[in-house]
């Protein structure tokens, strides 16, 4: 493939306007007429990146012949993958992920760590280096600067950045931890927020003994601490700071009056203190609850990349992160993978308890019986759909979930099961209106799914149902609780041939 007419015209203009540089490569157009000299910045097997006095250019390798001492080996270019950012995530995930990536590609993984993580991926026959990988833990701002200055290629973070491309890696759930011998039975989200802000400083005010709370935290310039501060709207009023999650967990485990927030993957020797909402609804950081966004203190683990073309091996690694093999590694390391998961509806007895305890005067026994009858024998898939505040537009995560659902249906993964989109509302307003609204939301998700996958036959699409306020996930007295309750869940129920179907 030659240069496009637009690129060719641009190159002709700059080459004829400036004298040629005595640099280390010269790219000659196969179609003739264009010669471009410059300093080679990289070659990913498809495209050259060369720095000239006219700027940094990306040139299609199929359209040119490379001459000069720095011309790369066109068969097996060597990729350099420089990663920076959140140190805890890098220490936990990079080594097993790159080992799995190498095994999937049939390459030799060679550990070259000397302190910080470093490795090489080698050709199994020639043992030639195909990629070298390195990791430098840095606070968020220096890590972003390294990407902007071309000194790094990828950044690990818990927060997206508008100037960078986000690739979802995993999920982590923030948990409150105490020492194993701390006698406090549980803590509510409202009490936790008051402790983190410094308003509450004694355990007796949150159900514990009359002892001062010693609040521990990560240092303020770490990725997770910034993400936590963004979540609660203010810095944590901690008196003891730690550079990483491992030292934080170890210190809290030794102090009977300590409290801290940490990632689920790094609780270590400390104890996770049960978390409830303001009405006493338990909030459990289970994989399904985190994936479904039922747990309010979850964080995305991201790989951020600059808005430029990355080397081929780097792009292949980012694509690998979506594979089942990568997701298995993530789950094995204590993080929550992003693959859809399912759980029997009856396995979560708390939901049924919530349905009974949270049922208002307008919820009848018949309503609950209809709900339980459908739940019996059904599984819940972690794909859950929520809408932007005050609108009928699916939020960003829900749109991603919708694309995943379309792929799952097209693959025939659940062809022998009946899918049901079950809509729910919060408890504000009349029960009849909430029931209609929940059914309308389930129908909206079904419509968007049909529009996204027009080739799917109608019989392959999920059925819809609505239950209004009959199955609350959280307390309706708070805005975040009402948001959690307004949702559409995906249920899988056994498929019965018509002749074997149970009687209505």
């Amino acid at each position: 493939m030659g240069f496009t007419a637009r690129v060719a015209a641009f190159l002709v203009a700059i080459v004829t306007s400036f004298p040629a540089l005595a640099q280390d490569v010269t790219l000659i157009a196969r179609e003739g007429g264009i010669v471009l000299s410059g300093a080679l910045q990289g070659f990913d097997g498809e495209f050259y990146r060369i720095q000239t006095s006219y700027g940094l250019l990306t040139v299609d390798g199929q359209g040119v012949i490379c001459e000069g001492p720095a011309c790369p080996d066109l068969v097996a270019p060597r990729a350099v993958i420089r990663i920076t950012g959140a140190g805890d995530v890098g220490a936990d995930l990079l080594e097993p992920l790159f080992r799995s990536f190498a095994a999937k590609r049939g390459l030799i993984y060679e550990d070259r760590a000397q302190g910080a993580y470093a490795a090489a991926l080698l050709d199994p026959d020639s043992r030639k280096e195909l990629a070298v990988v390195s990791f430098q833990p840095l606070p968020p701002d220096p890590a972003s600067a390294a990407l902007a200055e071309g000194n790094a290629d990828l950044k690990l973070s818990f927060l997206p950045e508008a100037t960078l491309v986000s690739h979802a890696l995993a999920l982590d759930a923030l948990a409150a931890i105490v020492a194993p011998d701390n006698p406090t039975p549980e803590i509510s989200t409202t009490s936790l927020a008051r402790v983190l802000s410094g308003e509450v400083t004694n355990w007796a005010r949150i159900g514990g003994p009359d002892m001062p709370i010693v609040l521990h935290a990560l240092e303020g310039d770490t990725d997770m601490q910034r993400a936590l501060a963004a979540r609660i709207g203010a810095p944590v009023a901690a008196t003891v700071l730690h550079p990483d999650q491992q030292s934080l967990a170890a210190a809290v485990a030794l102090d009977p009056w300590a409290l801290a927030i940490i990632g689920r993957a790094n609780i270590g020797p400390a104890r996770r203190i049960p978390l409830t909402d303001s009405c006493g609804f338990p909030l459990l950081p289970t994989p399904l609850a985190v994936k479904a966004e039922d747990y309010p203190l979850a964080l995305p683990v991201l790989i951020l990349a600059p808005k430029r073309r990355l080397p081929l091996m780097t792009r292949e690694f980012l694509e690998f992160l979506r594979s089942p093999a990568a997701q298995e590694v993530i789950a094995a390391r204590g993080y929550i993978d992003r693959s859809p998961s399912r759980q029997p509806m009856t396995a979560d007895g708390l939901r049924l308890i919530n349905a009974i305890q949270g049922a208002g005067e307008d919820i009848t026994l018949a309503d609950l019986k209809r709900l339980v009858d459908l739940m019996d024998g059904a599984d819940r898939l972690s794909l859950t759909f929520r809408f932007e505040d005050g609108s009928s537009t699916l939020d960003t995560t829900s749109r991603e979930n919708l694309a995943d659902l379309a792929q799952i249906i097209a693959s025939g993964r659940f062809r022998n099961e009946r899918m049901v989109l079950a809509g729910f509302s919060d408890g504000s307003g009349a029960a009849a209106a909430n029931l209609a609204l929940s059914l309308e939301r389930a129908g909206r998700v079904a419509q968007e799914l049909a529009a996204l996958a027009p080739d799917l036959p109608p019989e392959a699409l999920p059925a819809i149902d609505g239950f209004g306020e009959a199955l609350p996930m959280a307390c309706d007295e708070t805005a975040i609780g009402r948001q959690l309750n307004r949702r559409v869940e995906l249920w899988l129920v056994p498929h019965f041939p018509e002749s074997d179907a149970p009687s209505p």
Side-chain angles (χ1 to χ4, degrees):
M1 179 188 301
F3 290 132
T4 63
R6 181 171 59 83
V7 174
F10 171 71
L11 292 180
V12 168
I14 62 173
V15 170
T16 55
S17 301
F18 296 91
L21 299 176
Q23 297 289 344
D24 53 2
V25 297
T26 299
L27 302 181
I28 304 171
R30 295 182 186 275
E31 299 171 356
I34 299 174
V35 177
L36 186 63
S37 298
L40 183 67
Q41 302 297 303
F43 178 69
D44 65 4
E46 298 176 280
F47 287 81
Y48 294 94
R49 284 175 60 80
I50 60 172
Q51 181 68 54
T52 73
S53 62
Y54 327 121
L56 184 63
L57 302 178
T58 300
V59 181
D60 189 344
Q62 296 185 40
V64 296
I65 299 170
C66 183
E67 294 184 353
C71 286
D73 182 344
L74 301 185
V75 177
R78 176 178 178 270
V80 177
I81 306 175
R82 301 162 301 172
I83 307 173
T84 187
D88 291 320
V89 179
D92 291 338
L93 292 179
L94 287 181
E95 189 267 344
L97 281 173
F98 273 103
R99 280 190 183 275
S100 182
F101 174 65
K104 190 75 173 177
R105 296 287 305 273
L107 305 177
I108 296 174
Y109 178 92
E110 185 174 272
D111 187 357
R112 295 185 178 177
Q114 294 181 348
Y117 172 75
L121 307 183
L122 311 179
D123 181 274
D125 298 322
S126 65
R127 297 191 65 87
K128 179 177 180 179
E129 287 185 355
L130 300 183
V132 290
V133 187
S134 62
F135 175 65
Q136 182 183 16
L138 285 175
D141 292 339
S144 295
L147 259 66
E149 296 165 2
N151 296 322
D153 307 295
L154 301 171
K155 175 187 174 182
L156 296 172
S157 181
F158 292 98
L159 289 170
E161 297 181 33
T163 59
L164 300 174
V165 179
S166 295
H167 299 270
L169 175 61
L171 295 164
D172 200 2
L174 295 176
I177 58 170
V178 295
D181 56 347
N182 185 303
T184 310
E186 63 185 26
I187 185 171
S188 70
T189 52
T190 52
S191 294
L192 180 61
R194 294 167 66 194
V195 171
L196 296 178
S197 68
E199 178 185 349
V200 171
T201 60
N202 193 293
W203 283 102
R205 295 185 61 185
I206 57 174
D210 184 13
M211 293 296 294
I213 298 173
V214 182
L215 191 57
H216 292 240
L218 294 171
E219 293 174 353
D221 63 350
T222 59
D223 279 89
M224 178 167 284
Q225 201 63 25
R226 281 201 179 182
L228 175 60
R231 180 65 57 90
I232 65 177
V236 175
T239 56
V240 186
L241 301 180
H242 303 272
D244 54 60
Q245 295 187 65
Q246 289 76 18
S247 60
L248 172 61
V252 169
L254 295 175
D255 185 345
W257 311 121
L259 175 71
I261 301 295
I262 201 169
R264 174 182 178 270
N266 288 287
I267 292 174
R271 174 176 74 88
R272 180 181 67 82
I273 185 170
L275 191 65
T276 70
D277 69 8
S278 56
C279 293
F281 283 81
L283 301 172
L284 303 177
T286 63
L288 188 139
V290 173
K291 293 179 187 182
E293 296 186 291
D294 296 341
Y295 185 74
L297 294 180
L299 290 178
V301 183
L302 304 172
I303 290 189
L304 307 179
K307 294 180 179 180
R308 58 176 171 82
R309 188 176 182 85
L310 298 171
L312 179 61
M313 185 75 78
T314 308
R315 301 199 310 271
E316 290 176 344
F317 175 70
L318 293 175
E319 182 64 27
F320 164 77
L321 296 178
R322 301 166 58 92
S323 70
Q327 296 302 308
E328 289 176 7
V329 168
I330 288 166
R333 299 295 291 185
Y335 289 81
I336 296 169
D337 65 271
R338 299 190 62 86
S339 60
S341 59
R342 60 189 292 174
Q343 175 180 289
M345 300 290 292
T346 53
D348 190 357
L350 290 172
R351 283 162 60 85
L352 293 175
I353 294 174
N354 291 349
I356 297 170
Q357 292 181 336
E361 295 180 357
D362 294 335
I363 301 299
T364 67
L365 181 61
D367 294 329
L368 293 176
K369 186 177 184 301
R370 184 172 74 89
L371 174 64
V372 172
D373 285 344
L374 185 58
M375 291 173 69
D376 186 20
D379 288 353
R380 181 189 178 189
L381 202 66
S382 59
L383 298 177
T384 301
F385 306 93
R386 289 185 170 87
F387 298 85
E388 295 179 357
D389 289 343
S391 77
S392 59
T393 302
L394 289 172
D395 62 24
T396 301
T397 300
S398 296
R399 290 195 295 271
E400 295 175 356
N401 289 344
L402 198 68
D404 291 340
L405 177 57
Q407 292 180 352
I408 288 172
I409 296 175
S411 71
R413 180 172 168 184
F414 301 127
R415 65 169 60 91
N416 295 323
E417 297 175 281
R418 184 163 63 96
M419 289 179 289
V420 176
L421 289 167
F424 297 92
S425 72
D426 60 37
S428 58
N434 288 336
L435 180 62
L437 182 59
S438 67
L439 186 61
E440 177 186 334
R441 285 178 174 148
R444 180 57 184 263
V445 175
Q447 290 175 359
E448 298 220 9
L449 177 63
L452 184 65
D455 296 333
L456 292 175
E459 60 271 16
L461 297 174
I464 64 170
D465 209 334
F467 297 94
E469 59 196 73
L471 191 63
M473 296 295 303
C475 182
D476 260 334
E477 295 178 4
T478 63
I480 189 170
R482 291 190 293 273
Q483 181 183 6
L484 290 175
N485 289 334
R486 297 190 297 265
R487 68 199 186 277
V488 176
E489 298 182 2
L490 181 62
W491 294 358
L492 304 171
V493 299
H495 177 72
F496 297 97
E498 186 174 348
S499 60
D500 298 329
S503 300

